[in-house]
Amino acid sequence: MRRQFIAGLLLACSLPLGSAVAQTFPSKQITIVVPFSAGGPTDTLARILAERMGRSLGQTVIVENTTGAAGTIGVARVARAAPDGYTIGIGHWSTHVVNPAIYPLTFDILNDLEPLAYVATNPQLLISRKDLPVNDLKSLIEWTKANSDKVTVGTAGVGAASHVSGLYFEQKTGARLRFIPYRGAGPALQDLIAGQIDMMFDQAANSIPQVQAGKIKAFAVTSKQRLKALPDIPTVDEAGLPGLYIAVWHGLWAPKGTPREVAAKLSAATFEALADPQVREKFAALGQEIPDPAQQTAGSLRAYHEAEIKLWWPLIKAAGIKIE
Ligand code: ASP
């Protein structure tokens, strides 16, 4: 009885307090943790969103790059942050689906994070340094086979989308690649442009501008449709690697326990950003497809995340990816 009374009292006190916190939220700067280097695809997406979300929320939204171990360090920082809405994180297919299958994480990817919004999806481009001596995918496959174990391929870490796509390529072609891990696709792409490494599977968002500027070569896009921004680049089906589809989808998450009204404000600011014609134009130029509003919701992100885990974990675990 007494316990019930105390519980009732606590509930009565916490309700107005919770909504008071939510009413004044946000009263200071918000941080979006990007688990990869500045200048990469996840970082670019986060910066476009941060600027527009800040306008809706009436506070500055900054981006913090907490890098390392294919994004696991940055995602852990969000899972352990105070659940007050002032630290949230962006992540994607490999940080939130692949990594939990291969890294010994100290948090639970589904239960220690609160989904906020499903943001966009982006295929990969198979790209190379400009002076690589081949010009189409079939010749590239032959070249990698002839140079087995010597072809250097930049990745954003073991288990990153860029790495898993490369493993998929090895499996389909029989070629052996030499993976070079970076702290994000940003610095890896810089080394590719400088001719320090041979190839990369990169999120289209990162490499489209460099392909357009003629600084690197693109061989194929890992989706069923060509990219509007690069209509001359064939799909993997057209170019000779049928079925090598990888879509890197991004979402936003808050730490578990973030008050519901606070999370709702953050989600709403994200939806507003995704509806803004200027944001949409920037995303389109990067090949980032924005899901329909009904799919952007926290509930849809949760359902999609769970479905992707079910789909990919058996495949990823069977691939035996080693973290050294
Ligand atoms: N998302 C990573 C980055 O932004 C790239 C990757 O996962 O391959 O650098």
Side-chain angles (χ1 to χ4, degrees):
M1 187 64 197
R2 196 180 139 81
R3 206 180 289 155
Q4 264 172 12
F5 172 75
I6 294 174
L9 198 69
L10 284 176
L11 187 70
C13 296
S14 69
L15 274 179
L17 196 70
S19 39
V21 167
Q23 263 164 29
T24 53
F25 179 85
S27 56
K28 58 177 185 185
Q29 174 179 290
I30 295 167
T31 301
I32 300 182
V33 176
V34 167
F36 295 99
S37 314
T42 306
D43 180 73
T44 303
L45 202 59
R47 284 175 202 272
I48 299 171
L49 286 174
E51 192 279 324
R52 183 60 185 81
M53 285 170 72
R55 277 193 268 146
S56 293
L57 292 163
Q59 289 289 343
T60 313
V61 179
I62 61 153
V63 164
E64 174 195 293
N65 301 88
T66 303
T67 65
T72 53
I73 295 171
V75 180
R77 154 130 170 71
V78 178
R80 289 196 208 101
D84 55 11
Y86 291 103
T87 306
I88 60 173
I90 189 165
H92 62 58
W93 171 72
S94 61
T95 53
H96 284 64
V97 176
V98 180
N99 287 350
I102 60 173
Y103 282 85
L105 300 184
T106 53
F107 59 93
D108 186 298
I109 198 70
L110 285 169
N111 296 319
D112 291 336
L113 293 169
E114 198 70 64
L116 295 176
Y118 173 16
V119 170
T121 178
N122 194 220
Q124 304 267 103
L125 276 172
L126 173 49
I127 52 176
S128 80
R129 61 181 158 85
K130 200 179 152 190
D131 54 357
L132 206 83
V134 287
N135 290 315
D136 60 71
L137 184 61
K138 286 200 174 122
S139 324
L140 179 72
I141 295 170
E142 289 317 311
W143 185 80
T144 51
K145 282 186 178 165
N147 293 284
S148 242
D149 279 325
K150 283 191 225 120
V151 177
T152 49
V153 181
T155 76
V158 175
S162 36
H163 180 218
V164 178
S165 312
L167 294 173
Y168 210 175
F169 176 92
E170 286 192 318
Q171 198 195 65
K172 284 199 176 267
T173 61
R176 299 269 314 146
L177 306 172
R178 245 182 75 201
F179 294 108
I180 314 286
Y182 291 78
R183 295 178 93 84
L189 183 61
Q190 288 314 313
D191 269 9
L192 189 79
I193 294 167
Q196 304 286 335
I197 52 173
D198 297 316
M199 270 171 55
M200 222 179 128
F201 278 91
D202 191 17
Q203 281 160 56
N206 202 30
S207 34
I208 285 174
Q210 308 300 340
V211 176
Q212 286 168 335
K215 292 189 182 159
I216 50 174
K217 285 186 194 179
F219 293 86
V221 57
T222 64
S223 59
K224 291 182 187 163
Q225 274 95 36
R226 290 187 181 204
L227 286 164
K228 286 201 186 81
L230 288 178
D232 295 339
I233 305 304
T235 67
V236 276
D237 295 338
E238 293 168 328
L241 272 178
L244 200 154
Y245 306 134
I246 300 243
V248 183
W249 53 266
H250 279 82
L252 283 177
W253 284 266
K256 187 77 187 175
T258 301
R260 209 183 309 147
E261 299 91 331
V262 168
K265 280 190 183 177
L266 291 163
S267 298
T270 317
F271 306 149
E272 271 176 48
L274 296 174
D276 183 309
Q278 278 174 356
V279 170
R280 297 182 77 84
E281 207 176 292
K282 284 183 192 158
F283 274 33
L286 299 171
Q288 291 282 10
E289 272 172 50
I290 299 176
D292 294 336
Q295 290 174 282
Q296 293 166 14
T297 63
S300 296
L301 173 57
R302 171 92 194 183
Y304 188 43
H305 190 186
E306 282 175 357
E308 285 279 280
I309 284 178
K310 258 202 202 107
L311 174 72
W312 284 97
W313 277 15
L315 301 171
I316 306 269
K317 287 181 177 162
I321 304 171
K322 295 266 175 311
I323 31 169
E324 268 134 307

